[in-house]
Amino acid sequence: MKKTTMARAPRGRINRAMLDAMTEEDIMRTSPPELRDLPDDFFKDAVLMPGVDPKEPISIRLDSDVLHWFRSKGARYQTRINAVLRSYVNAMKRKGPR
């Protein structure tokens, strides 16, 4: 297995060279448990989101079980909530107006 020694990118940014240098084994070894063994077509409809707008702090009310689930997955749970909402918005935009 090839050892990657390149510097990490700043938080929230991708070090493309390091990512390109990773083997499948590196990816599996460093993936969080909830992202391991995903089906082959999991990212079939994924869209790269280069340079999205800066985040805007808000107050939002969520069902306690929904918030607990996201928090139970670890740090950056707000980022995951945002990713789910962005995915929904993009899907609705692709559908077009009703």
Side-chain angles (χ1 to χ4, degrees), residues 29-85:
R29 181 178 42 78
T30 59
S31 293
E34 66 269 18
L35 296 180
R36 291 186 185 138
D37 300 320
L38 293 173
D40 290 340
D41 66 344
F42 185 82
F43 291 105
K44 175 178 65 106
D45 297 324
V47 178
L48 182 61
M49 300 299 298
V52 295
D53 294 333
K55 306 291 189 267
E56 182 175 336
I58 64 163
S59 175
I60 186 172
R61 295 181 184 273
L62 301 172
D63 294 338
S64 61
D65 62 322
V66 171
L67 182 58
H68 176 75
W69 187 87
F70 276 97
R71 281 183 173 163
S72 74
K73 301 305 171 192
R76 301 188 63 168
Y77 69 93
Q78 292 172 324
T79 299
R80 283 191 293 280
I81 293 170
N82 188 72
V84 168
L85 293 171

Side-chain angles (χ1 to χ4, degrees), residues 5-11 13-15 18:
T5 58
M6 299 179 113
R8 297 188 93 167
R11 186 173 183 168
R13 301 287 179 216
I14 295 173
N15 180 333
M18 186 175 86

